[in-house]
Amino acid sequence: MSTNFLRAARSTFRHTAVYNPSHFASTRHFHSTSPKMTVHNILSTEAFKEALKEHKTIMLDCFATWCGPCKAIAPILANHSNEEQFKDIFFAKIDVDDLPELSQELGITAMPTFMIFKDGEMAPAEKLVGANPNALVALLKKHT
């Protein structure tokens, strides 16, 4: 096979619509405003108790860094935290390995565990164990 054939093929590819860089530039969407909410990382038991006092409804994600399902559902939870319909919910997360006392106090037995806290109560109003996106949305909608 001659090198002229390869040069011609490369040249043809560059001029096709697939390669055209201007097509890629037009698909970028930049937002001038930052997200309204986010999932807040709770680093201590005291910080969690303060959050309970300050917010009427809290969605707590109890995760571990080594947990595959936790990693899979984390971006889904982050997307929901930016949705307008869930604006009244404070989204938070704790690493169960970093806060073992709080994890034990909350009764965490598996990861991920999602808990809804209402009106400053230390006992969860509702609990969801496992990475189930549909059940997570149902839980959020129930408590908005």
Side-chain angles (χ1 to χ4, degrees), residues 66-84:
W66 48 263
C67 168
C70 299
K71 291 176 185 177
I73 202 161
I76 295 169
L77 184 67
N79 287 339
H80 291 311
S81 75
N82 291 322
E83 291 179 12
E84 187 65 27

Side-chain angles (χ1 to χ4, degrees), residues 2-19:
S2 77
T3 57
N4 287 340
F5 174 76
L6 293 175
R7 264 191 224 126
R10 242 185 272 135
S11 176
T12 303
F13 179 71
R14 274 191 221 126
H15 297 295
T16 63
V18 174
Y19 180 76

Side-chain angles (χ1 to χ4, degrees), residues 16-66:
T16 63
V18 174
Y19 180 76
N20 193 345
S22 66
H23 289 165
F24 295 113
S26 65
T27 61
R28 292 183 183 165
H29 299 285
F30 294 103
H31 299 282
S32 60
T33 59
S34 62
K36 295 179 273 314
M37 303 166 76
T38 188
V39 181
H40 303 274
N41 197 10
I42 304 288
L43 300 175
S44 68
T45 303
E46 295 77 29
F48 175 68
K49 290 180 180 177
E50 278 299 313
L52 281 176
K53 291 177 189 174
E54 293 175 11
H55 303 282
K56 185 172 174 63
T57 305
I58 296 176
M59 162 57 79
L60 182 66
D61 173 13
C62 305
F63 75 99
T65 55
W66 48 263

Side-chain angles (χ1 to χ4, degrees), residues 80-93:
H80 291 311
S81 75
N82 291 322
E83 291 179 12
E84 187 65 27
Q85 63 180 333
F86 305 129
K87 67 179 180 193
D88 296 329
I89 298 176
F90 180 78
F91 289 81
K93 63 182 179 176

